[in-house]
Amino acid sequence: MTEQVIEKIESMEKKREKEKHGKETIRSSVVLKIYRANKRAGEQPHYDSVEVPVQRWTTVLDALLHAKQYKDPSIGIRYSCRMASCGSCGMKINGIPRLACYTKVSELEGSTVTVEPLANFPHIRDLVTDFAQFFSHHHDVKPFVQNENADIKDKNKLSEFMQSPEDLDKFLQFSYCIKCGLCYSACPTVATDTKFPGPQALSQAYRYFIDNRDNATKDRINIVDDKHGIWRCHFAGSCSSVCPKGVDPALGIQLLRGHMLGFSKNEKKIADLQDRLRKDEEAKQ
Amino acid sequence: MADTISHDVLIIGSGLAGLRAAISAASTDKNVDIAVISKVQVMRSHSVSAEGGTAAVLYEEEGDNQESHIYDTVKGSDFLADQDVAELLVKNMPYEIYQLDHWGMPWSRRKDGRIAQRKFGGYSFPRATFAQDKVGFYEMQTLYDTCQKYDNIHFYNEWFCTSILQDGGRFQGITAIELKTGNFTIFRAPAGIICTGGAGRIFSFSTYAFSSTPDGLDMAFRAGLALKDMEFVQFHPTGVLPSGILITEGARGEGGYLVNNKGERFMQKYAPGKLELAPRDVVSRSMIKEIQEGRGFKHETGVDCLKLDLTHLGAERIKEVLAGIREIGIKFSGVDIIDEPIEVRPVCHYMMGGIHANIDGATELAGLWTAGEAACNSTHGANRLGANSTSECIVWGRITGELAAKHALAHKGQTSIQEQQVLQEEKRIYDGLFRGRGDVNPYEVRKQMTDTMDDKAYVFRNEQGLTEALKKIRELKASMWKHVDDKAKEYNTNFVNVMEIDSMLRTAEVVLVGALNRRESRGAHSRTDYPVRDDTHFLNHTLAYFAGDGGPKMAWHPVTFTRYAPVERKY
Amino acid sequence: MMLRESQIMKIHYITGIAALFVVAVHIMMRLIMPYSLSLEYENVIANYHNVPYLVLLESILVLIAIHGFNGLRIILLELRQSKAWEDGITILTIAAMMAVVAYGTRTIIIANGFGLGFE
Amino acid sequence: MEADRSNREGLMGWLNPGRYGWERVSYWLQRLTGVGLLAYFIGHVFETSSLTQGPDAWAAMLELTQTPLGHTILLLVIGMSTYHSANGIRLIFAHGGKGLGKPGRPDYPYDAVSLNYRQKSGIWIALILAAVAMLYGASVLFGGE
Ligand SMILES: Cc1cc2nc3c(=O)[nH]c(=O)nc-3n(C[C@H](O)[C@H](O)[C@H](O)COP(=O)(O)OP(=O)(O)OC[C@H]3O[C@@H](n4cnc5c(N)ncnc54)[C@H](O)[C@@H]3O)c2cc1C
Ligand code: HEM
Ligand code: SF4
Ligand code: F3S
Ligand code: FES
């Protein structure tokens, strides 16, 4: 075992050494071209260029924070987890919505990186945008399990809803969503339609629709079946192409619409609380 | 005076604890009007980063039992946990797991459709309930989404709380700044719950989100409440280089090996019974010893490290249950764990300490509760077991939410705000910090402080190092750094950072003083100059009270024993 | 007579597919003889005296009008969101649709010479 | 809450298909061709209405439309309708969730299954069909007898 591990480590190290001098562009510094504006305080939009040092693993967020800490503390930016799980740091990087903490400078071309606030969100300051509308769209699709047993009533009878790994796979991917809003920023319908729930909210509607613990099937369909609802998605796919978490909102939306068009049937049964108890009984006999 | 917003219950912080408390308070009575105030957007709290699992006893018919969970927790804590508290945690957890399931949590499932559990460090049974390797994320999502059901929960996204208001020994409200507008505002309410999470950013090499600063702890501290057991900082064995992002213990739970530069599974030497799945303090110490004895690797940044080998698990299993870890490896370290062992090093991960609270999560101030990592009701003692923290957040989130709601109903509308306190607070942050002057870069101060902590208050500590560190922190504190360059009102993160740094310095000081005072090695606190546990002198909780700029006033607090007498801790 | 959006969209898809078929036939008819010949007045009028072809033309008219103007409505709906605008475009597109259908039907009827092919 | 329109990309969001994938191009072409076809359709109804005023009016109209410019427009219409129809059929299926693949556990680097090669091929085929139809149309319209 010991030798194997060492061998593996050595061979990978060689490979990495090669890669290092191969495809990745290694630079020692990069120029950030940062969108700046604070309209409420009368500061008009302009771009500031700041040069910062970078290394192989430096992300755009690292670079921006370096700029903030050592060059210009007034850069307005939202961030938190720095590991692509909180959804704070969405911004346009070289014109495309991305997470700053998930985009390495070495993955980008050119010696300048342009960072701008997400489009389709009202602007607050510099790279920071207002998510209130986005969140309220999410709220409006009733993103929670609806089912008369959703709150456990009898604490002495504890049991889960049965859910096979296959049942889980039907919605799991849509629950990867970190609400970063990149999809919302990329969608062409959202670009003009303020009432369109957007890819995030619509794919969450499907996430709960197809969860076999939920039985608000009709209600969910009624919510999205609106002039500005699900039908305003034209499968432009941009949402899925920018989603950093593989949610594939376009897929969720089309699948939900498949049910509304009668192409698919929702065969799910409400995972019955009693199911397990019954099975247990059977097993005992 | 500043604008005022009134509610019945103020929940400060919107991590797992805060959101669970919100739901609990909201469902206690629909007339309770709840505000959840968070300095980040509510769903972005640090809890989303929790990866590996939530501990609960679910399968008694398969051999698990609650007694064992309690004992594992107490033993893991190196007998510093309050045993009645540990018991309460264990007894409440199964319900919480099933409740989360009912609310839509995508728990990973076994073939038979039931909830799956995996092994975790320090447990005698696989009882870390998991949802792939994004447990905290899914829990946050489930709770956030469930909050949408309640009309009486109001979210205040991106409001930075600065101080607690009190009158006559009772909680009356808080002061906060709305980031978007920069407005300084009073929130008044008869009840409050502090759920501001951990303070791990006082270290440089840390798994925490950038938002995990101790401003919540410091708020309580300045309000005269005690911080308890702050010297106990958990170092997680597997932080990825160079960033410190976490590789979950679940990776070892699934069967990963830690290897040194000889290719040995060195944990065989240190914890033959549990190997890589010994509690975190044990594994981290073993790793540092390996490194000190020259059997470590050097990362290309020049930092010493060891390797975590998962390659033998196979691509399929890895993609199924450790997909997030694989992503982290590839993205942040350039290593695909399917092909290659990944470089890791012990990393600051959890604060066992926090705001002193009793078994119900009540603080010393009437009307104020605390839950989650910010609280210290002594569930974890000197060392927390993995997967027990999300559990703690959820259990005490529920308990405090309910208690606060009931208290608020009984005292609805009865608040009195002392104008003097508000003015004083305004003076502190605006005159003291915002309009402050200085030529020292606050970010540089922060860097030096966190580097000092990394260097001197790491896995192993000693008198000399800690004294030097304390001196350094006090120097930094006294230097001319208190100023904000960004003069705008709107979304001023520079101002926020400076307020955070202010609280970090005070908290770091408490950690160091606590560590100096505790002349023994217990759990995560390991002194090379006092290498053994000393139950005669130190089987006590540390309390630290605010006492002006000179440093904290320290006191001891007894540990509650209900079941087990301390024995030597071996794995 | 409020249709749900899902019903409207089902109509949109069905009219789209149906239009494809009828237009295909319509174009085939242009191509069974040399193209320029097919446009001679007599040939065209002759077509209009053939009842099945009339039905074809009328259905093309209706299907495409429905599909096309609904398409236009969709685009306009997404442009602005205010009650006045939304009501306006609904009325406008329906009116335009009816106008075009009426106008086209007039052509068909007159070109047929009211004889409906029984000359 | 009054919807805040500020900072929306607006029409520029529609008109900028290059930034994202083929699906975005398809979206944009479907729209453009749809509107184009509608315009042509209205024109065509108007054109044929000259029939009602007798052979002379019809001939006058033919003179107007059967010109190189008129033929070029017709050619475009052929291309547009072929693309719009072919892509339209793909879209009807796609909108109903057909041909998109199944949801599951996405693996890093998370390529979206809905943006798969079946869909992209559909777009390419629609484009190729449109090109072929236009070539054929050109041979009929400009090829003489
Ligand atoms: C990488 C990582 C992985 C982990 N994995 C696990 C695991 O697998 N299992 C496990 O059991 N535990 C795990 N933990 C530990 C666990 O995640 C945390 O202890 C827990 O999430 C803390 O939750 P919380 O609700 O107390 O606080 P947090 O989630 O940290 O939230 C704190 C909240 O307080 C707010 N706040 C802070 N200060 C202020 C202020 N001044 N004003 C307003 N709001 C403020 C923040 O905005 C935030 O909303 C992990 C921790 C880390 C770092
Ligand atoms: C021949 C005359 C046609 C005209 C004038 C026409 C017109 C239009 C218009 C204006 C749109 C709106 C574009 C948009 O919503 O983005 C549209 C969309 C569409 N058309 Fe057509 N169309 C025609 C034929 C067809 C055919 C034959 C089909 C399919 C078989 C079809 C299928 C579609 C589809 C699927 C959409 C997209 C709707 C959406 O994205 O919501 N169309 N059409
Ligand atoms: S669907 Fe993807 S892009 Fe959209 S908000 Fe969720 S994670 Fe972000
Ligand atoms: S980008 Fe928009 S149009 Fe549909 S497929 Fe995505 S929601
Ligand atoms: S900082 Fe959390 S997603 Fe980037």
Side-chain angles (χ1 to χ4, degrees):
Chain A
M1 191 218 111
T2 305
E3 271 111 69
Q4 277 173 351
V5 174
I6 292 195
E7 240 169 62
K8 219 179 279 166
I9 292 174
E10 278 172 358
S11 83
M12 291 311 287
E13 241 147 42
K14 269 185 216 135
K15 195 176 125 205
R16 187 124 44 98
E17 201 63 25
K18 253 188 241 151
E19 269 174 16
K20 222 186 308 177
H21 305 294
K23 60 174 198 290
E24 277 177 341
T25 16
I26 311 278
R27 289 185 224 98
S28 59
S29 76
V30 72
V31 176
L32 293 171
K33 199 171 147 220
I34 308 169
Y35 177 94
R36 303 298 301 272
N38 182 1
K39 289 181 203 132
R40 228 171 308 215
E43 185 185 342
Q44 288 314 304
H46 60 282
Y47 289 85
D48 277 351
S49 290
V50 187
E51 187 169 351
V52 291
V54 291
Q55 282 156 316
R56 191 160 71 93
W57 46 76
T58 305
T59 61
V60 173
L61 180 65
D62 294 335
L64 279 166
L65 290 182
H66 185 95
K68 185 174 175 63
Q69 286 159 16
Y70 294 102
K71 305 272 165 90
D72 181 357
S74 69
I75 298 170
I77 176 174
R78 176 185 286 139
Y79 59 95
S80 177
C81 71
R82 60 85 167 82
M83 56 186 279
S85 56
C86 75
S88 298
C89 64
M91 58 183 71
K92 269 197 292 186
I93 298 177
N94 289 350
I96 294 179
R98 306 186 217 232
L99 294 180
C101 70
Y102 202 53
T103 309
K104 284 188 275 189
V105 174
S106 59
E107 292 165 352
L108 300 167
E109 275 161 29
S111 56
T112 309
V113 175
T114 309
V115 286
E116 295 158 303
L118 285 179
N120 301 345
F121 290 86
H123 188 244
I124 295 180
R125 183 185 174 184
D126 299 349
L127 300 171
V128 181
T129 52
D130 189 338
F131 273 59
Q133 275 177 50
F134 175 79
F135 293 151
S136 80
H137 284 309
H138 177 73
H139 173 86
D140 291 344
V141 300
K142 300 200 182 162
F144 41 82
V145 167
Q146 296 180 51
N147 160 354
E148 61 278 18
N149 292 318
D151 289 309
I152 293 183
K153 290 177 192 106
D154 185 353
K155 286 194 191 175
N156 298 316
K157 273 204 203 127
L158 294 178
S159 129
E160 65 269 70
F161 283 115
M162 307 304 275
Q163 197 164 60
S164 67
E166 295 74 46
D167 294 333
L168 183 63
D169 272 354
K170 287 192 189 144
F171 72 87
L172 181 64
Q173 129 167 49
F174 305 110
S175 56
Y176 276 34
C177 174
I178 59 174
K179 303 185 182 77
C180 62
L182 300 192
C183 54
Y184 193 78
S185 176
C187 174
T189 305
V190 176
T192 56
D193 192 337
T194 49
K195 291 189 184 164
F196 178 58
Q200 189 274 339
L202 288 173
S203 56
Q204 291 314 300
Y206 182 66
R207 177 245 176 275
Y208 284 98
F209 173 87
I210 204 69
D211 189 324
N212 67 346
R213 289 168 289 197
D214 185 87
N215 64 5
T217 310
K218 280 231 180 63
D219 183 34
R220 296 202 181 283
I221 285 186
N222 283 338
I223 292 174
V224 296
D225 188 4
D226 177 77
K227 270 215 289 285
H228 293 283
I230 194 163
W231 303 102
R232 297 294 81 85
C233 164
H234 306 281
F235 192 37
S238 314
C239 49
S240 295
S241 82
V242 299
C243 177
K245 289 275 130 182
V247 174
D248 202 347
L251 176 65
I253 298 172
Q254 319 312 320
L255 288 175
L256 180 53
R257 197 148 49 180
H259 286 273
M260 301 171 73
L261 287 170
F263 284 25
S264 318
K265 283 257 167 323
N266 199 348
E267 288 151 5
K268 78 184 185 196
K269 285 197 306 266
I270 287 300
D272 193 344
L273 260 181
Q274 302 308 313
D275 215 37
R276 186 190 129 206
L277 301 174
R278 201 182 55 239
K279 275 192 193 139
D280 284 356
E281 296 276 295
E282 277 168 13
K284 260 183 224 149
Q285 283 165 9
Chain B
M1 206 160 60
D3 290 343
T4 305
I5 299 176
S6 295
H7 288 280
D8 296 334
V9 178
L10 303 179
I11 296 174
I12 302 143
S14 61
L16 283 174
L19 293 182
R20 185 68 187 86
I23 296 173
S24 167
S27 56
T28 297
D29 191 311
K30 65 178 185 320
N31 295 320
V32 186
D33 179 26
I34 299 142
V36 177
I37 309 167
S38 185
K39 69 173 173 180
V40 299
Q41 288 164 326
V42 164
M43 77 295 292
R44 319 239 186 262
S45 301
H46 159 70
S47 290
V48 292
S49 302
E51 297 172 350
T54 297
V57 174
L58 298 186
Y59 293 107
E60 300 209 37
E61 68 276 22
E62 289 170 23
D64 201 2
N65 66 71
Q66 299 197 344
E67 185 73 36
S68 150
H69 188 181
I70 301 170
Y71 186 67
D72 289 343
T73 303
V74 170
K75 182 176 170 195
S77 80
D78 222 345
F79 296 89
L80 199 69
D82 283 353
Q83 299 184 1
D84 51 343
V85 176
E87 184 177 336
L88 190 66
L89 173 87
V90 170
K91 295 229 154 108
N92 272 286
M93 263 329 283
Y95 162 74
E96 295 295 340
I97 297 285
Y98 292 123
Q99 182 59 79
L100 282 169
D101 164 72
H102 283 46
W103 284 337
M105 174 86 186
W107 292 120
S108 288
R109 301 284 168 157
R110 321 198 299 192
K111 290 255 169 336
D112 62 0
R114 302 190 61 188
I115 295 171
Q117 296 192 302
R118 62 160 57 116
K119 289 186 197 156
F120 239 62
Y123 292 113
S124 0
F125 197 84
R127 64 171 79 94
T129 324
F130 67 102
Q132 299 172 298
D133 52 3
K134 303 179 179 197
V135 177
F137 172 72
Y138 286 132
E139 285 172 346
M140 278 294 289
Q141 180 182 70
T142 305
L143 294 176
Y144 177 78
D145 282 2
T146 302
C147 281
Q148 309 295 322
K149 268 208 281 214
Y150 296 96
D151 295 333
N152 51 343
I153 300 178
H154 303 274
F155 287 144
Y156 289 87
N157 289 309
E158 303 195 305
W159 287 68
F160 188 90
C161 302
T162 67
S163 76
I164 293 172
L165 301 174
Q166 53 184 312
D167 186 24
R170 278 188 29 208
F171 174 79
Q172 308 292 354
I174 54 139
T175 56
I177 297 173
E178 182 182 23
L179 234 60
K180 183 173 153 182
T181 59
N183 290 341
F184 181 78
T185 306
I186 299 164
F187 281 79
R188 53 197 299 171
I193 311 175
I194 300 190
C195 310
T196 52
R201 276 285 152 191
I202 57 173
F203 288 78
S204 292
F205 192 56
S206 166
T207 62
Y208 284 84
F210 286 120
S211 59
S212 289
T213 50
D215 16 276
L217 299 184
D218 185 53
M219 233 163 84
F221 187 53
R222 275 185 284 108
L225 306 181
L227 298 184
K228 182 161 60 176
D229 288 342
M230 289 300 290
E231 63 272 28
F232 296 105
V233 180
Q234 177 164 81
F235 295 91
H236 192 292
T238 54
V240 149
L241 292 166
S243 60
I245 291 173
L246 178 77
I247 298 291
T248 170
E249 187 160 304
R252 282 169 288 136
E254 292 294 336
Y257 303 149
L258 282 168
V259 292
N260 62 18
N261 69 12
K262 300 213 154 41
E264 294 160 345
R265 269 181 90 178
F266 57 85
M267 282 312 293
Q268 277 157 346
K269 269 182 287 182
Y270 301 96
K274 286 235 184 288
L275 296 167
E276 283 86 359
L277 288 177
R280 291 175 178 168
D281 57 334
V282 177
V283 180
S284 288
R285 278 195 293 275
S286 312
M287 290 172 75
I288 298 297
K289 274 187 203 139
E290 285 297 302
I291 289 171
Q292 283 169 350
E293 287 163 20
R295 290 189 291 278
F297 295 89
K298 271 253 183 283
H299 184 257
E300 53 179 295
T301 44
V303 179
D304 293 311
C305 61
L306 290 152
K307 295 212 184 199
L308 174 68
D309 187 6
L310 296 159
T311 55
H312 56 281
L313 298 182
E316 192 36 46
R317 183 75 185 156
I318 287 179
K319 286 183 184 172
E320 193 184 327
V321 292
L322 294 172
I325 295 305
R326 176 166 173 254
E327 171 189 335
I328 289 170
I330 296 173
K331 201 74 188 186
F332 299 104
S333 188
V335 171
D336 188 341
I337 55 171
I338 290 178
D339 312 317
E340 181 184 8
I342 187 164
E343 283 136 329
V344 292
R345 171 182 171 81
V347 57
C348 170
H349 179 65
Y350 185 82
M351 314 290 289
M352 267 68 76
I355 302 165
H356 177 37
N358 71 5
I359 184 164
D360 292 331
T363 66
E364 295 160 285
L365 185 63
L368 183 65
W369 283 261
T370 174
E373 196 173 336
C376 180
N377 49 23
S378 305
T379 325
H380 309 302
N383 175 57
R384 165 180 80 95
L385 293 187
N388 251 351
S389 160
T390 46
S391 300
E392 179 205 358
C393 292
I394 294 170
V395 168
W396 274 278
R398 187 184 63 64
I399 294 174
T400 56
E402 195 179 322
L403 292 174
K406 287 186 175 146
H407 179 91
L409 279 178
H411 298 85
K412 212 169 162 78
Q414 303 168 12
T415 50
S416 73
I417 300 291
Q418 291 284 320
E419 202 166 325
Q420 194 47 35
Q421 271 177 43
V422 178
L423 292 177
Q424 236 172 28
E425 177 61 11
E426 260 181 302
K427 204 161 163 272
R428 183 183 76 90
I429 52 180
Y430 288 106
D431 293 344
L433 299 171
F434 190 68
R435 284 184 282 272
R437 263 176 249 260
D439 47 6
V440 181
N441 181 352
Y443 294 103
E444 187 54 33
V445 167
R446 183 173 76 186
K447 183 163 183 353
Q448 290 192 20
M449 156 181 53
T450 58
D451 283 354
T452 307
M453 295 299 284
D454 265 11
D455 199 27
K456 306 281 201 270
Y458 195 45
V459 176
F460 288 109
R461 304 158 167 187
N462 60 42
E463 177 98 34
Q464 192 199 351
L466 290 169
T467 317
E468 278 168 25
L470 190 58
K471 186 161 157 264
K472 175 80 189 173
I473 301 290
R474 287 184 169 152
E475 265 169 38
L476 289 171
K477 220 169 127 187
S479 68
M480 294 295 288
W481 66 273
K482 287 189 179 179
H483 62 102
V484 177
D485 289 328
D486 182 359
K487 290 297 170 208
K489 264 186 94 182
E490 297 78 8
Y491 214 90
N492 190 334
T493 38
N494 185 203
F495 184 25
V496 168
N497 291 155
V498 166
M499 287 189 283
E500 285 171 349
I501 294 166
D502 185 44
S503 72
M504 286 161 96
L505 284 165
R506 251 189 310 274
T507 313
E509 196 179 352
V510 173
V511 172
L512 292 172
V513 173
L516 269 170
N517 277 6
R518 192 171 277 281
R519 290 189 201 80
E520 63 159 352
S521 290
R522 180 188 298 275
H525 173 69
S526 195
R527 294 270 302 248
T528 48
D529 41 358
Y530 301 94
V532 288
R533 194 173 86 193
D534 177 357
D535 286 342
T536 21
H537 297 100
F538 296 105
L539 192 50
N540 273 317
H541 300 298
T542 312
L543 295 184
Y545 288 94
F546 182 61
D549 274 344
K553 191 175 102 239
M554 308 302 288
W556 297 108
H557 185 77
V559 179
T560 313
F561 291 91
T562 53
R563 294 163 168 260
Y564 316 106
V567 294
E568 196 196 345
R569 184 162 164 258
K570 261 206 191 120
Y571 288 95
Chain C
M1 211 212 70
M2 283 307 285
L3 287 172
R4 290 221 75 143
E5 196 63 18
S6 53
Q7 291 164 318
I8 298 177
M9 289 312 286
K10 279 180 197 157
I11 293 171
H12 187 79
Y13 297 138
I14 291 166
T15 51
I17 293 180
L20 177 59
F21 283 103
V22 287
V23 170
V25 177
H26 179 59
I27 293 173
M28 297 289 211
M29 304 281 283
R30 298 270 77 88
L31 297 176
I32 40 178
M33 58 182 101
Y35 177 67
S36 51
L37 221 63
S38 78
L39 289 178
E40 305 252 312
Y41 185 70
E42 288 71 30
N43 288 331
V44 178
I45 289 289
N47 274 339
Y48 278 80
H49 288 255
N50 172 336
V51 173
Y53 191 70
L54 282 189
V55 175
L56 180 78
L57 283 184
E58 184 66 25
S59 44
I60 291 181
L61 189 64
V62 173
L63 292 172
I64 294 188
I66 294 177
H67 179 94
F69 281 107
N70 185 48
L72 186 65
R73 181 190 69 102
I74 293 172
I75 293 178
L76 295 176
L77 254 185
E78 289 175 15
L79 272 184
R80 296 176 58 96
Q81 293 74 45
S82 72
K83 181 129 177 54
W85 171 265
E86 291 181 3
D87 292 350
I89 55 175
T90 313
I91 293 167
L92 202 98
T93 45
I94 292 177
M97 179 170 75
M98 302 222 275
V100 170
V101 170
Y103 195 63
T105 311
R106 188 190 80 110
T107 306
I108 294 175
I109 292 172
I110 296 179
N112 174 268
F114 305 100
L116 293 173
F118 300 114
E119 275 176 330
Chain D
M1 180 181 62
E2 184 47 38
D4 189 340
R5 302 192 65 85
S6 63
N7 205 33
R8 296 253 164 187
E9 276 198 319
L11 271 176
M12 290 313 289
W14 289 3
L15 298 180
N16 185 2
R19 268 184 301 166
Y20 304 99
W22 277 102
E23 295 78 5
R24 183 69 170 248
V25 176
S26 133
Y27 155 87
W28 179 70
L29 284 178
Q30 186 74 1
R31 229 163 225 210
L32 217 62
T33 55
V35 176
L37 288 173
L38 181 62
Y40 171 77
F41 169 71
I42 296 170
H44 191 60
V45 169
F46 178 70
E47 179 190 4
T48 50
S49 76
S50 65
L51 272 176
T52 57
Q53 280 137 25
D56 295 342
W58 176 251
M61 182 59 83
L62 281 191
E63 209 152 286
L64 247 164
T65 55
Q66 299 303 310
T67 55
L69 179 69
H71 280 179
T72 314
I73 291 177
L74 209 56
L75 205 58
L76 262 177
V77 169
I78 293 172
M80 291 200 299
S81 60
T82 315
Y83 173 81
H84 187 93
S85 311
N87 194 47
I89 290 174
R90 174 187 75 91
L91 280 176
I92 291 176
F93 282 100
H95 284 183
K98 298 291 163 197
L100 297 182
K102 258 177 60 173
R105 182 202 66 212
D107 286 326
Y108 184 83
Y110 302 135
D111 294 323
V113 293
S114 70
L115 311 182
N116 57 30
Y117 274 88
R118 245 175 311 169
Q119 294 302 321
K120 292 200 206 307
S121 317
I123 299 167
W124 297 330
I125 288 170
L127 285 169
I128 292 167
L129 280 180
V132 171
M134 283 170 82
L135 281 178
Y136 177 72
S139 77
V140 172
L141 290 173
F142 294 107
E145 256 79 302

